[in-house]
Every structure is written in structure tokens, then in C-alpha cells.
């Protein structure tokens, strides 16, 4: 597989074309950002940790029947993926109240949400990723009814798999966001699953072990990511 031209560079990842039109190479960089890119910093080891963490999670999800774009690791901070036509919608499940839902609804952080909530947001940094509903998605043609239902079903299937996985590591999966795309017409999980895109708390102490450590200047960001991985039996190569 030959890595060719840079297709685009996001806030934390760069994407390259390959000699196969159906495959891309993703490079996980050490860059970290929050608040729609307003806060930025490079954190040593971050690219390698997130790349390998994401690979392990994607393989778990694939084994559970969730179709993903992940193909294989190429290096410590690179992986090969299917090239998707991305759907510009973020799907969010919340098991515990934290983050924006606390601010929007005035609920207490840490409140268990039973059943979990499902929310959708338009993927747009320029607009601040506004919250949307299924009618917006249909009206603007971002996804069909069938694709919406598939994304929702897969998002909850991910919840079933990962809640137990993290609980086995004495952690709470507080919330997470997923992005989907189409591969030859099939809805497939894309982007990444890492502590950058979810909230994870220690079950006993409620210590935050995710990107909130960066957002809230709590320190030891990558050390927390590594601890999450170690609790799940992961080892990291640098």
C-alpha cells in the first residue's frame, strides 16, 4: 500500500490518499484541541496512543458485528482505513449527565441517565456543531430515513459493547460521539473512538480520564489515556 497525497488535515489527524481509491491512510498527530479549535497544544505520545487505542476498540466493535472503516495498523501513529463518503452528523449517546447537556438543561453532573439519551449534532466547527434532530437531517438531505435508523441502531450497539468493556476496567462510559459514512452504499462507523471523543470516569472515584483533563486544565492528559488503555489490557508502542 503506497501512501500518496495529503487529502486534508484536521485538528488532530491528517488523511492521505493511497494507490487504492477505496483506501486512505490516517496519521494521528500529537496535536490536541478543544472548544472548536480555540484551545490547542501538542502533547507528547498522543498520536501513538490514540491510534493504537482506536485500533483496539475498532477491532472489538468489528468482532461484535459493527461495520467500521478500520483496516489495520500501519505504524505507531498510522492506520489504513476504508474511504468513506462521510455523513455530516455526529451521533451522541449519554449514559451519565456531563458536558453540554448539563449546561443546556441545568441538570446535575453525574446524574445517571436511564435510558441513555441519543442526540445528533451537525458536524461544523464554523457553527459550533449545533444540535439538530432527525427532521433537519431529512430536510437537508444529510442522510435518508434508513441511514438515520442504521446510525442510531449502531450507536446503541456500540454502547452495549463498550459500556461493559469499560466497566470491566472499573470505568464508566459517560458519553461518546460517533461519526458514520457510506462505503459503497453501506453505513459504516468512521473517524475514531478514543478518549478524545468520549468521557470516561473511574467508577469509584469519578476521576476524569478523558479529554476533559485537557479542557479543564487537570493535567496528566496522556497519562490518563494510557491508564484507560492499560485497564483494558492494551500496550502501546512508541
Amino acid at each position: 500500500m503506497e501512501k500518496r497525497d495529503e487529502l486534508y488535515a484536521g485538528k488532530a489527524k491528517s488523511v492521505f490518499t493511497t494507490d487504492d481509491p477505496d483506501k486512505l491512510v490516517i496519521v494521528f498527530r500529537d496535536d490536541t484541541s478543544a472548544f472548536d479549535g480555540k484551545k490547542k497544544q501538542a502533547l507528547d505520545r498522543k498520536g501513538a496512543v490514540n491510534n493504537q487505542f482506536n485500533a483496539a476498540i475498532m477491532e472489538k466493535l468489528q468482532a461484535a458485528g459493527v461495520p467500521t472503516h478500520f483496516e489495520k495498523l500501519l505504524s505507531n501513529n498510522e492506520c489504513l482505513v476504508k474511504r468513506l463518503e462521510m455523513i455530516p452528523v455526529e451521533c451522541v449517546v449519554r449514559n451519565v449527565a456531563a458536558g453540554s447537556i448539563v449546561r443546556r438543561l441545568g441538570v446535575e453532573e453525574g446524574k445517571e441517565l436511564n435510558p441513555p439519551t441519543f442526540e445528533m449534532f451537525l458536524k461544523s466547527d464554523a457553527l459550533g456543531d449545533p444540535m439538530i434532530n432527525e427532521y433537519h437531517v431529512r430536510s437537508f438531505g444529510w442522510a435518508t430515513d434508513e441511514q438515520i435508523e442504521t446510525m442510531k441502531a449502531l450507536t446503541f450497539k456500540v454502547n452495549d459493547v463498550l459500556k461493559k468493556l469499560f466497566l470491566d476496567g472499573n470505568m464508566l462510559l459517560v458519553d461518546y460521539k460517533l461519526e458514520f459514512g457510506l462505503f459503497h452504499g453501506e453505513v459504516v462507523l468512521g473517524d475514531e473512538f478514543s478518549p478524545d471523543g468520549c468521557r470516561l470516569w473511574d467508577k469509584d472515584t469519578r476521576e476524569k480520564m478523558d479529554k476533559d483533563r485537557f479542557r479543564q486544565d487537570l493535567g496528566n492528559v496522556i497519562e490518563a489515556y494510557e491508564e484507560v488503555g492499560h485497564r483494558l489490557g492494551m500496550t502501546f508502542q512508541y
Side-chain angles (χ1 to χ4, degrees):
M1 185 64 60
E2 178 188 344
K3 184 170 76 172
R4 292 186 173 174
D5 301 324
E6 185 176 80
L7 190 61
Y8 63 89
K11 293 189 290 292
K13 298 188 292 291
S14 298
V15 180
F16 292 82
T17 61
T18 72
D19 54 344
D20 184 339
D22 277 341
K23 302 291 171 59
L24 299 171
V25 171
I26 296 180
V27 178
F28 285 71
R29 308 192 312 269
D30 287 342
D31 299 325
T32 307
S33 69
F35 312 120
D36 295 324
K38 296 179 179 68
K39 180 178 181 179
K40 300 178 183 178
Q41 187 178 343
L43 298 174
D44 186 45
R45 307 190 308 282
K46 191 235 184 188
V49 169
N50 274 9
N51 179 48
Q52 294 166 68
F53 188 102
N54 173 68
I57 294 296
M58 289 289 178
E59 288 172 350
K60 291 278 189 186
L61 294 176
Q62 288 171 349
V66 176
T68 87
H69 71 155
F70 179 78
E71 292 281 299
K72 63 180 180 179
L73 284 174
L74 296 176
S75 70
N76 292 346
N77 70 329
E78 294 178 306
C79 67
L80 183 70
V81 299
K82 299 178 181 73
R83 183 170 188 162
L84 306 184
E85 178 188 345
M86 295 305 294
I87 297 170
V89 174
E90 296 179 346
C91 296
V92 174
V93 160
R94 301 179 188 276
N95 296 305
V96 179
S100 66
I101 198 170
V102 171
R103 297 189 297 272
R104 280 187 279 119
L105 302 183
V107 296
E108 180 183 358
E109 182 180 81
K111 176 180 174 60
E112 183 178 354
L113 303 176
N114 189 16
T117 67
F118 176 87
E119 299 172 338
M120 292 190 293
F121 297 83
L122 177 64
K123 186 169 174 58
S124 171
D125 286 342
L127 299 176
D129 297 334
M131 190 175 178
I132 56 177
N133 61 39
E134 295 179 20
Y135 288 88
H136 294 120
V137 179
R138 294 188 191 100
S139 295
F140 291 104
W142 295 322
T144 66
D145 286 357
E146 183 179 1
Q147 289 164 354
I148 292 169
E149 290 307 310
T150 300
M151 290 191 297
K152 188 184 297 184
L154 289 175
T155 301
F156 278 110
K157 186 166 187 175
V158 168
N159 202 42
D160 291 340
V161 175
L162 296 189
K163 270 183 70 177
K164 182 182 185 308
L165 180 71
F166 288 113
L167 194 58
D168 288 345
N170 204 45
M171 292 174 285
L172 298 176
L173 179 57
V174 174
D175 58 35
Y176 58 90
K177 65 103 174 170
L178 301 179
E179 296 179 26
F180 294 91
L182 302 177
F183 184 71
H184 299 310
E186 179 190 9
V187 175
V188 170
L189 177 62
D191 195 42
E192 67 175 287
F193 194 103
S194 75
D196 268 8
C198 66
R199 285 188 173 87
L200 295 163
W201 294 352
D202 180 89
K203 181 177 178 292
D204 298 327
T205 66
R206 297 295 177 103
E207 180 184 4
K208 296 174 181 178
M209 306 177 72
D210 53 72
K211 195 174 177 179
D212 273 349
R213 300 197 67 83
F214 177 70
R215 295 186 187 98
Q216 300 172 17
D217 296 315
L218 299 176
N220 295 321
V221 178
I222 304 308
E223 290 81 358
Y225 288 19
E226 290 168 326
E227 173 63 18
V228 171
H230 294 155
R231 291 191 188 191
L232 300 181
M234 300 177 192
T235 56
F236 299 104
Q237 303 295 320
Y238 303 110

